[in-house]
Amino acid sequence: MKSKDFFFWDIELTFLQIGVPSRTNIKEYQSLHNELSREIGRVNGKFSTADWYPIQFMYKGLPQDELAAYYRDSDVALVTPLVDGMNLVAKEFVACQINNSGALVLSYFAGAAESMKEALMVNPYEVNLLADSLHKALQMSSSECQLRMEKLRARERKFDVHYWMSSFLEEMRFVESIEKPKLPTISLDLYSKSLSEQMEASPKLAVILGYDGTLVGPAPTPQQAVLANETREILKILASNNDVSVCIISGRSVADLRKMVGIKKITYAGNNGLEIVHPDGAFFAPPVPEEHEIKISRLVTELQTEFSNCKAWVENKGPVVTFHYRNVPKGMRNIICLKAVQIFKKHGFEPQEVPMAFEARPSVNWDVSKAAAYFLRSTYGVDWAQRCTVLYIGDIDDSKVMLSMKSFAFTISVGKHVNQSKGFKKLPDIQGVIDLLKWLEMKMLQKPQRQPTFMPDFGEYEQYLSTQMSIAFSDYNNGARKRRRSRTSSAPGKSPISLMPNRSE
């Protein structure tokens, strides 16, 4: 129907708009008020008679008893926001309808629409259909009005403010008891002083973790070293905190590491830092000599051929190859390991010992500590030492690397192999790591936001790292130039339509 079809409501109907002033110092609100006033003036100027105005606009706040009287005496409440959170005006109208005689026309886009199904539901963008619904509400029989309003009032009487308050508090108690980790019972002498003080002095926290031996225990094969769900959830919560950055450094390939952990907001450093993938997908790798790939391919072929009939196996991780002998019978291990070492050296690699395996790595000046420093620099900038507290937790049995890490990070080693005489802090096992991560999560939730006060000067380490990276790139570029010369020599708000108060919430 079109608006002209409803002209018989002239004089019989008055549209009362109560607009409580709100945010009057905001330019957009002022413009909206001016636009609304002009439109009301235009309509009243066109249709008014000597004793009737189609629209009554009250731009002021009303006492509660007077507002309740308007709610009670109105035949129809037209609550038609284009978008809204809840719109309690609809519920206030129902609460005041003590005679069960009014009708409610309610927008689908009001939050209250979800629980007030007995109202006449409308889409305020469909103006003609809205007019139809208003016409229906005005003509509704008293028995239908009473039936709809009784159901609306019964629901509001049951789900009143006391119900909502108790349900919110109950939900908060549930979240507090289920989702927030309890502070674990751990040795606070490691954390309550030095680590807590550093965290309080710095606005950000960078957590650098190992994987095997730190987050997961030993397993017969790398694929069976699966991250526990509890640990994954803790890491997710930490990584989702805007003040926390998490990096996991592992001897695994970066693809395998990402698959095993499966958390998007974490930086992954595979092959002990030779491959680094940031949360946004950006990839970094230090330069590796071109001939390394050829040497690795030949090494893999000979190892697989030589040990095809025993329980040793070869893992090709791109720039790194790992020879695993964990499943070889103890009586055969010495012979197998001796032969494997000879093959490594034959192809120009000095085998690196890792738990129950040997590794062939490229001859670049790069290790876990340099990868960690690169992560910090790329995440926080060159002044990262003043912007974040760095915590490293790992199971590296390498005093040189651990000492490098200790120069810029609060370093905790995991396992029984830790040499405490060198001053390394220790966690006995993986459960200790999980407890510490829970403790960190709680501390970051409790931590007030403040500007950093004091952090030690890490300029010496930054200078050292920059020098080492320059040497690595220089060595690579020199080799590349030699290869190029060799090749060259050989070949080439709300809608203003409402019978009830339009109060901005």
Side-chain angles (χ1 to χ4, degrees):
M1 292 185 178
K2 298 181 180 180
S3 59
K4 64 181 181 180
D5 297 322
F6 300 113
F7 271 31
F8 54 83
W9 286 111
D10 286 1
I11 305 178
E12 298 292 329
L13 172 67
T14 296
F15 185 101
L16 175 62
Q17 175 75 52
I18 302 175
V20 179
S22 174
R23 302 174 179 89
T24 54
N25 61 327
I26 299 177
K27 183 177 179 180
E28 288 76 12
Y29 277 64
Q30 296 171 0
S31 299
L32 181 61
H33 172 64
N34 293 335
E35 181 184 352
L36 181 60
S37 298
R38 286 194 299 270
E39 186 64 17
I40 291 172
R42 185 190 66 80
V43 173
N44 283 341
K46 182 176 181 179
F47 298 105
S48 296
T49 63
D51 56 357
W52 175 73
Y53 289 91
I55 301 176
Q56 297 283 347
F57 181 39
M58 301 175 66
Y59 185 60
K60 64 179 181 178
L62 296 177
Q64 192 174 36
D65 55 349
E66 185 177 345
L67 179 61
Y70 281 117
Y71 280 137
R72 182 197 61 197
D73 294 339
S74 296
D75 296 300
V76 177
L78 187 63
V79 185
T80 55
L82 302 178
V83 62
D84 208 347
M86 173 60 74
N87 204 309
L88 295 177
V89 168
K91 294 179 178 290
E92 291 172 354
F93 170 75
V94 168
C96 293
Q97 283 289 310
I98 55 177
N99 297 321
N100 297 324
S101 58
L104 174 62
V105 179
L106 183 60
S107 166
Y108 287 114
F109 307 120
E114 186 174 345
S115 62
M116 305 184 80
K117 302 301 183 184
E118 292 79 14
L120 295 176
M121 310 303 293
V122 297
N123 181 348
Y125 291 96
E126 297 286 350
V127 178
N128 290 333
L129 294 179
L130 191 155
D132 290 341
S133 296
L134 179 57
H135 176 64
K136 180 179 178 180
L138 291 166
Q139 286 193 320
M140 190 178 294
S141 66
S142 59
S143 58
E144 184 178 354
C145 277
Q146 185 171 356
L147 179 63
R148 289 175 181 265
M149 191 55 65
E150 282 178 352
K151 291 184 177 181
L152 285 167
R153 284 175 56 80
R155 185 182 296 106
E156 299 309 318
R157 189 178 294 111
K158 179 179 179 180
F159 301 115
D160 61 3
V161 64
H162 302 291
Y163 167 83
W164 288 110
M165 180 183 69
S166 61
S167 65
F168 278 126
L169 291 175
E170 184 64 30
E171 187 70 18
M172 289 171 65
R173 283 191 289 268
F174 173 78
V175 171
E176 184 176 17
S177 63
I178 299 300
E179 295 187 1
K180 289 186 178 180
K182 295 182 179 179
L183 191 64
T185 303
I186 54 180
S187 179
L188 294 181
D189 61 330
L190 287 177
Y191 320 117
S192 61
K193 293 183 179 180
S194 51
L195 181 55
S196 291
E197 289 172 1
Q198 289 190 34
M199 290 173 65
E200 289 169 3
S202 181
K204 304 290 184 179
L205 173 65
V207 182
I208 303 172
L209 301 162
Y211 184 78
D212 296 279
T214 302
L215 297 175
V216 298
T221 64
Q223 289 71 31
Q224 291 175 281
V226 178
L227 192 66
N229 289 334
E230 179 188 20
T231 309
R232 180 176 285 106
E233 290 305 312
I234 297 170
L235 290 174
K236 279 184 180 179
I237 294 171
L238 281 173
S240 64
N241 189 318
N242 291 332
D243 290 334
V244 181
S245 296
V246 180
C247 176
I248 298 179
I249 302 180
S250 170
R252 294 169 177 263
S253 70
V254 72
D256 184 40
L257 184 60
R258 295 177 74 186
K259 178 181 178 182
M260 298 301 287
V261 178
I263 301 174
K264 293 182 179 179
K265 295 183 178 181
I266 284 180
T267 297
Y268 296 96
N271 287 316
N272 289 319
L274 288 172
E275 301 174 299
I276 300 176
V277 177
H278 296 278
D280 61 358
F283 178 83
F284 170 81
V288 174
E290 194 173 284
E291 60 271 14
H292 175 76
E293 185 177 347
I294 300 172
K295 290 167 60 179
I296 280 286
S297 177
R298 291 172 179 171
L299 173 63
V300 169
T301 300
E302 184 164 354
L303 287 173
Q304 289 176 337
T305 302
E306 182 67 29
F307 300 108
S308 59
N309 296 323
C310 71
K311 294 186 177 181
W313 57 283
V314 180
E315 183 183 8
N316 190 344
K317 300 183 289 186
V320 176
V321 167
T322 304
F323 175 78
H324 297 270
Y325 59 84
R326 181 186 300 276
N327 297 332
V328 175
K330 291 184 179 180
M332 298 178 59
R333 283 182 184 174
N334 288 339
I335 299 174
I336 295 295
C337 289
L338 182 61
K339 181 63 176 176
V341 168
Q342 292 174 349
I343 295 174
F344 272 74
K345 291 184 176 181
K346 173 184 174 182
H347 291 279
F349 293 103
E350 188 62 36
Q352 306 293 315
E353 290 191 50
V354 294
M356 305 302 289
F358 295 112
E359 282 191 344
R361 301 176 61 80
S363 56
V364 294
N365 192 8
W366 195 261
D367 59 23
V368 170
S369 63
K370 295 182 180 64
Y374 166 80
F375 156 69
L376 295 168
R377 191 167 187 166
S378 60
T379 303
Y380 297 108
V382 294
D383 60 339
W384 55 267
Q386 283 71 47
R387 299 181 62 190
C388 68
T389 296
V390 184
L391 171 64
Y392 171 75
I393 310 173
D395 71 331
I396 298 176
D397 190 13
D398 186 328
S399 296
K400 182 179 178 181
V401 172
M402 291 296 286
L403 286 171
S404 296
M405 295 293 292
K406 191 178 177 183
S407 69
F408 62 89
F410 190 98
T411 303
I412 299 177
S413 189
V414 184
K416 299 178 180 180
H417 62 271
V418 182
N419 187 349
Q420 287 186 308
S421 64
K422 293 184 180 294
F424 298 144
K425 293 179 173 62
K426 174 185 176 181
L427 286 173
D429 51 30
I430 294 168
Q431 185 57 50
V433 177
I434 296 173
D435 289 343
L436 176 55
L437 292 176
K438 290 179 181 178
W439 183 86
L440 286 173
E441 179 190 345
M442 181 67 72
K443 289 290 291 184
M444 293 308 295
L445 288 173
Q446 298 171 345
K447 182 175 183 286
Q449 296 298 312
R450 63 181 70 181
Q451 294 298 320
T453 54
F454 169 78
M455 284 292 288
D457 183 8
F458 295 109
E460 290 186 8
Y461 188 80
E462 273 287 296
Q463 184 177 1
Y464 167 75
L465 176 65
S466 299
T467 302
Q468 296 302 320
M469 291 182 69
S470 298
I471 292 172
F473 278 88
S474 177
D475 291 345
Y476 172 74
N477 290 332
N478 290 337
R481 282 195 293 269
K482 290 178 182 178
R483 288 190 295 274
R484 283 197 297 270
R485 285 197 296 269
S486 175
R487 287 194 295 269
T488 303
S489 61
S490 59
K494 297 180 180 177
S495 167
I497 303 172
S498 178
L499 282 177
M500 291 294 105
N502 181 15
R503 293 178 290 172
S504 300
E505 298 176 5

